[in-house]
Amino acid sequence: MNRRSFLQGLAAALAAGSLQLVRAQQGFKPFPPAPTLGTPLQPIGVRAASEAHVVRYISNTLPSRHTGAAFAPIGELDGIITPNGLHFERDHAGVPTIDPKDYRLVLHGLVERPLMFTLDDLMRLPSENQVYFIECAGNGQNGYREPPEPTLTATRSRGLVSGAEWTGVPLRILLEEAGVKPEGRWLLAEGADAAAWVRSIPTEKGLRDVLVAYKQNGEALRPEQGYPVRLVVPGWEGSIQVKWLRRILVAGEPAMSRGETSEYTDVRADGRIDAFTWVMEPQSIITRPSGGQRIEPGFHQIRGLAWSGFGMVARVEVSTDGGASWREARLTGPVLPYALTRFVFDWNWGGEETVLMSRMVDDQGNVQPTRAEFLERWARNNRYHYNAIQAWRVGADGRVQNGDPALAVGAAPPVQAGGCGGEVFDG
Ligand SMILES: Nc1nc2c(c(=O)[nH]1)N[C@H]1C(S)=C(S)[C@@H](COP(=O)(O)O)O[C@H]1N2
Ligand SMILES: [Mo]
């Protein structure tokens, strides 16, 4: 919020006599101190027992829990960093157990000098720390659903995204050490899991900003995130950020692997299919209040997340009247390229039924679309890259539900799973 709109808001609040953020209470007494010694020092911390409900949501549409997705509980988190145990997870053949002593990364193919690195070798090399989001291209998939699902939560709407500070060696350093031949225009990155996950990355991107990462928020990667080593490919879809990285083959052509043909390709509205839809387009979502929550009339700071694979968040706007008017939200905390960005918006809820929405614009001028705009471009049976505005309907009873505009215009025939074969999550 800029100074002028802040002052306008203040004036409006004064006029409405609503500057009191918290209602007065009667008969209060301070919380009692502990009567005895607490628990002793511990070598590793655990969360408060009463926070046990804040967990990943595991999609249950698939028969196996070895391939599938677990959503980060973004409806209950704050800030721009996802705690390591709650980072979203997307695996195609479970999580392999890798002994770091046995770990090797092989870099070969169209290079002057094929190279092999141990984990220690990678850690000795120059490193970078970068805060980046990772987002599955299947994030938002629930938005394609018709009729939309009223009980959708923020976690299930957009929880296939997480933010972390990644530490690793710039891939450029390894590529320069190996000496990529001019015809080596593609990097075929392969994981060591049973899925034999392979994705093709243009060498140009590999030289620009890809990290060979071994730390996540300061500690070793979690097994689910690729322990001991994964690729972090800023701004691009999660599926290209190969976990449990075992080799990079420099090649003249892309692999056309399963992960870039039968999955992670996108059906356009005219039926044509796009492959290599790498960049994650502008997204934002209000996480509080959001689906499944219940609010009381009075002051609420609306909070949410915004991000864009094209660069940095430039502006987030919030509507508290179903899109009739929009005002600029305030970006709080660091605003970094290819990172989750937190926005806040002060709101006094009078108790009337309404719809809350957020939309974002990135520093390259890309705007988050409405659902109608989005579906002009992509087919209704596409599975990926859904980034239309998420609306939340606040009922007169304070209950928050999915406010997808398609809910208001009545039920269209249900869309069956299809598209280009990707898995369907119930997120
Ligand atoms: N080796 C390997 N890498 C992989 C995958 C996989 O199944 N195997 N899944 C990909 C997909 S589709 C996504 S969205 C991201 C998810 O990363 P995360 O589980 O750390 O959140 O990992 C990618 N890297
Ligand atoms: Mo993914």
Side-chain angles (χ1 to χ4, degrees):
M1 195 157 45
N2 61 32
R3 192 179 151 76
R4 197 165 131 249
S5 62
F6 176 77
L7 289 175
Q8 281 168 351
L10 198 66
L14 277 170
S18 57
L19 250 197
Q20 215 168 9
L21 299 185
V22 180
R23 268 173 289 164
Q25 286 153 352
Q26 251 119 64
F28 63 86
K29 57 177 197 284
F31 187 76
T36 58
L37 285 176
T39 52
L41 304 167
Q42 298 294 331
I44 187 157
V46 293
R47 295 185 300 170
S50 39
E51 295 298 312
H53 61 284
V54 181
V55 290
R56 294 192 278 233
Y57 171 79
I58 300 176
S59 168
N60 58 15
T61 51
L62 301 168
S64 147
R65 285 203 169 180
H66 295 93
T67 178
F71 295 66
I74 58 168
E76 310 190 67
L77 300 177
D78 219 309
I80 65 168
I81 300 291
T82 310
N84 286 345
L86 297 174
H87 194 284
F88 91 89
E89 181 182 358
R90 171 76 176 104
D91 308 323
H92 290 77
V95 175
T97 305
I98 298 173
D99 186 333
K101 293 196 296 295
D102 299 338
Y103 177 79
R104 298 289 183 277
L105 170 62
V106 166
L107 173 53
H108 65 150
L110 297 173
V111 294
E112 302 299 338
R113 297 191 305 142
L115 296 173
M116 186 168 78
F117 304 89
T118 64
L119 186 56
D120 277 349
D121 292 337
L122 294 176
M123 288 192 179
R124 277 194 292 116
L125 293 172
S127 68
E128 262 182 26
N129 297 298
Q130 299 282 6
V131 177
Y132 291 137
F133 71 78
I134 295 180
E135 181 182 18
C136 180
N139 202 20
Q141 193 181 76
N142 194 292
Y144 285 108
R145 194 172 284 196
E146 287 177 7
E149 187 192 335
T151 56
L152 188 66
T153 61
T155 295
R156 288 176 50 241
S157 171
R158 299 296 148 93
L160 291 183
V161 72
S162 293
E165 182 185 9
W166 304 99
T167 306
V169 199
L171 179 55
R172 175 182 47 80
I173 290 180
L174 309 188
L175 294 173
E176 285 174 355
E177 196 73 8
V180 175
K181 294 184 176 164
E183 62 273 28
R185 283 191 303 275
W186 291 86
L187 309 172
L188 315 190
E190 185 184 333
D193 49 337
W197 195 249
V198 177
R199 288 296 316 254
S200 314
I201 306 168
T203 304
E204 198 193 342
K205 176 74 173 171
L207 289 169
R208 199 183 321 147
D209 55 11
V210 174
L211 277 185
V212 178
Y214 45 77
K215 294 222 157 137
Q216 167 185 3
N217 295 328
E219 63 176 1
L221 299 185
R222 289 292 168 105
E224 316 87 283
Q225 264 67 63
Y227 183 84
V229 175
R230 80 172 303 159
L231 289 183
V232 174
V233 184
W236 286 20
E237 61 186 10
S239 66
I240 210 163
Q241 318 208 14
V242 175
K243 303 192 278 188
W244 315 292
L245 181 69
R246 67 186 288 270
R247 70 164 165 163
I248 295 172
L249 176 68
V250 182
E253 302 288 339
M256 305 310 283
S257 65
R258 163 192 162 195
E260 55 202 28
T261 53
S262 86
E263 281 185 87
Y264 299 106
T265 56
D266 288 77
V267 190
R268 288 178 182 235
D270 65 6
R272 280 184 303 157
I273 292 178
D274 281 8
F276 303 124
T277 41
W278 293 310
V279 178
M280 298 310 297
E281 302 206 358
Q283 286 269 29
S284 74
I285 183 170
I286 294 172
T287 52
R288 182 194 173 98
S290 60
Q293 298 175 359
R294 188 175 186 167
I295 58 169
E296 298 283 319
F299 177 83
H300 292 272
Q301 186 180 58
I302 294 173
R303 297 189 193 136
L305 287 170
W307 64 98
S308 169
F310 288 112
M312 238 164 4
V313 174
R315 195 168 79 242
V316 177
E317 290 167 341
V318 167
S319 173
T320 58
D321 54 13
S325 66
W326 294 85
R327 282 197 292 148
E328 197 166 339
R330 189 157 53 85
L331 306 181
T332 108
V335 180
L336 300 166
Y338 316 119
L340 296 183
T341 300
R342 183 58 64 175
F343 67 86
V344 297
F345 185 88
D346 292 345
W347 180 48
N348 258 308
W349 184 48
E352 68 291 348
E353 196 179 310
T354 191
V355 173
L356 308 177
M357 294 192 253
S358 64
R359 68 178 179 205
M360 79 83 92
V361 184
D362 69 23
D363 64 349
Q364 311 295 306
N366 301 292
V367 184
Q368 186 180 12
T370 63
R371 189 168 196 276
E373 287 163 351
F374 180 83
L375 290 173
E376 274 169 29
R377 190 169 152 214
W378 300 107
R380 282 161 189 267
N381 65 346
N382 190 22
R383 300 258 67 84
Y384 302 112
H385 291 276
Y386 187 92
N387 70 327
I389 291 170
Q390 169 70 57
W392 299 119
R393 176 173 303 279
V394 183
D397 59 359
R399 282 186 204 282
V400 186
Q401 287 206 312
N402 189 5
D404 191 313
L407 278 168
V409 298
V415 166
Q416 298 303 318
C420 40
E423 287 164 346
V424 181
F425 313 125
D426 66 343

